[in-house]
Amino acid sequence: MEKIKIVIAGPRGRMGTEAVQLVESTEHFELVGVIDRIHDGELFAGKDNVKIFTDPEKCFIETNPDVLIDLTTPESGKIHTKLAIEHGVRPVVGTTGFSEEDLDELSQLAEEKGIGAIIAPNFALGAVLMMKFAKMAAKYFQDVEIIEMHHDQKLDAPSGTGVKTAEMISEIRKPKKQGHPNETETLSGARGADFQGIRIHSVRLPGLIAHQEVIFGGDGQTLKIRHDSYNRTSFMSGVKLSVETVMKLDILVYGLENIIE
Ligand SMILES: NC(=O)c1ccc[n+]([C@@H]2O[C@H](COP(=O)([O-])OP(=O)(O)OC[C@H]3O[C@@H](n4cnc5c(N)ncnc54)[C@H](O)[C@@H]3O)[C@@H](O)[C@H]2O)c1
Ligand SMILES: O=C(O)C1=N[C@H](C(=O)O)CCC1
C-alpha cells in the first residue's frame, strides 16, 4: 500500500504532539514536513527528511504532501486550509473557531478545485455519538441547553463542539425562545451564548480537557447526554479515520458524524 504523505501544522502543540506520534506509528502514513512559527529550515525534532517550514506555501511546494493536518489557531487554521486546497493538498482540520462564512468559503473552494477536505470540531468518537444522540433527542424535547467545559488555555468560545451540537439539534428542533418570556440578565452573559434560541454555556478551568453535557428538559424530567475526553489520545482515532477518508473525497465534509456509519 502506498503511504499517505502528511504535513502537520502546529506540531509542538498539545494536539500536534499527539498527531506526530500517530503519523509516526501508523505504517501507511509518512510525515514529510511540519509547519511551525519558528525554526524555519531546521530538521523537526532531529528527524531525517522532516523539515520545518514557517511558510505553508513553500512547504506544500517542496514536500508535495497528500494531506495537511491542521491543529493550530482559528486565524492560522483558516489560512492554512485555504492554501492547502489551492495547492491540491487535502486538509484534515481539527482547529476550531471557524465561522459559518469561513466554512462556506472553504467548502466552495474545495468544490471548485475538486479536492477532499474534512473539518471536524471534535475527533473523539464518543463526542460524535453525543452529538448524534442529542440530535435524536431533539425530536422529543424542544428545550435544551449545552454546557461545554474545557481547559483554560482554549482560545475560542463557545467550543466548536458546542456550536456543532446546537447546529445539529437545530436541524430537528422547531425554533423556540426558552426560559421565561420576560426573563432579564442582571449580569450580562448569565444566560450564555444564543444559537437560534439554544443557550451554550462555556466553562474554562485548569484540570479540564474537553467535556460537554447536553441537557434536555420536559414535563417533570430531564435527559442529560454527556461526553468526557480525559486525554488527547481520545482524538487520534478520529484523526486517523479522517486522513484515510479524505483521500477518497472530492468535497469538504464538516463534522465526523458525516463519515462514520
Ligand atoms: N477537533 C478536535 O477534536 C480538537 C481537539 C483538541 C483541540 N482542538 C483544536 O485544535 C487546535 C489546537 O489545540 P491545542 O490544544 O493543540 O493548542 P496548542 O496551543 O497547544 O497548539 C497550537 C500550536 O499551533 C502553533 N501555531 C499557531 N499558529 C501557527 C502558525 N501560523 N503556523 C504554525 N503553527 C502555528 C502554536 O505554536 C502551537 O504550538 C485548537 O483550535 C483547538 O480548539 C480540536
Ligand atoms: O482543547 C480544545 O480546544 C478542544 N476543542 C474542541 C472544540 O472546540 O470543540 C473539542 C476538543 C478539545
Side-chain angles (χ1 to χ4, degrees):
M1 184 196 266
E2 204 155 303
K3 290 194 178 202
I4 301 176
K5 292 192 285 169
I6 299 171
V7 158
I8 297 178
R12 286 178 305 114
R14 288 174 287 263
M15 280 290 281
T17 310
E18 291 281 346
V20 168
Q21 275 183 35
L22 168 77
V23 172
E24 302 236 290
S25 62
T26 305
E27 214 175 318
H28 57 290
F29 289 179
E30 182 185 359
L31 188 65
V32 295
V34 296
I35 302 172
D36 205 342
R37 287 191 294 198
I38 50 174
H39 301 307
D40 189 41
E42 294 177 19
L43 283 182
F44 174 64
K47 293 180 202 307
D48 284 348
N49 306 326
V50 183
K51 223 168 91 177
I52 301 171
F53 295 83
T54 52
D55 178 345
E57 286 196 270
K58 196 172 164 203
C59 176
F60 298 148
I61 293 165
E62 257 190 50
T63 64
N64 192 27
D66 300 304
V67 173
L68 161 74
I69 300 177
D70 191 275
L71 299 160
T72 59
T73 62
E75 209 177 304
S76 303
K78 278 171 225 165
I79 298 169
H80 294 164
T81 306
K82 195 165 174 222
L83 286 173
I85 297 171
E86 283 168 353
H87 283 80
V89 180
R90 297 166 169 84
V92 167
V93 181
T95 306
T96 51
F98 289 17
S99 67
E100 217 179 308
E101 293 74 43
D102 297 327
L103 292 169
D104 285 347
E105 187 192 330
L106 292 167
S107 184
Q108 206 179 315
L109 187 63
E111 200 174 323
E112 274 166 31
K113 300 277 179 194
I115 276 281
I118 295 177
I119 299 181
N122 204 314
F123 285 119
L125 181 62
V128 179
L129 290 174
M130 166 192 60
M131 291 185 258
K132 277 176 153 284
F133 295 155
K135 183 175 173 179
M136 281 169 69
K139 185 174 170 193
Y140 306 98
F141 292 89
Q142 233 190 323
D143 290 76
V144 55
E145 305 225 354
I146 297 168
I147 306 174
E148 57 93 345
M149 295 155 272
H150 284 82
H151 59 91
D152 64 348
Q153 297 305 302
K154 186 164 177 58
L155 293 176
D156 53 314
S159 68
T161 310
V163 175
K164 183 68 165 146
T165 309
E167 284 171 5
M168 286 172 67
I169 290 172
S170 298
E171 288 168 25
I172 302 294
R173 172 185 176 271
K174 291 189 195 77
K176 179 179 180 185
K177 184 185 180 305
Q178 292 177 191
H180 195 283
N182 299 331
E183 77 178 7
T184 55
E185 289 183 334
T186 50
L187 273 180
S188 164
R191 291 287 290 119
D194 185 338
F195 184 95
Q196 296 182 16
I198 301 171
R199 296 292 172 164
I200 309 177
H201 309 270
S202 297
V203 177
R204 297 289 177 265
L205 285 171
L208 295 175
I209 300 274
H211 317 260
Q212 181 169 288
E213 200 159 289
V214 187
I215 310 179
F216 291 90
D219 275 345
Q221 59 181 314
T222 60
L223 169 67
K224 294 178 186 163
I225 304 172
R226 182 176 170 114
H227 176 260
D228 297 276
S229 270
Y230 298 110
N231 60 38
R232 290 179 177 85
T233 313
S234 64
F235 304 114
M236 290 305 126
S237 55
V239 175
K240 181 170 181 276
L241 176 69
S242 298
V243 169
E244 289 161 351
T245 307
V246 82
M247 293 298 294
K248 301 172 206 151
L249 295 174
D250 57 7
I251 53 161
L252 185 149
V253 170
Y254 168 50
L256 231 56
E257 71 283 0
N258 297 306
I259 64 170
I260 61 168
E261 293 294 308

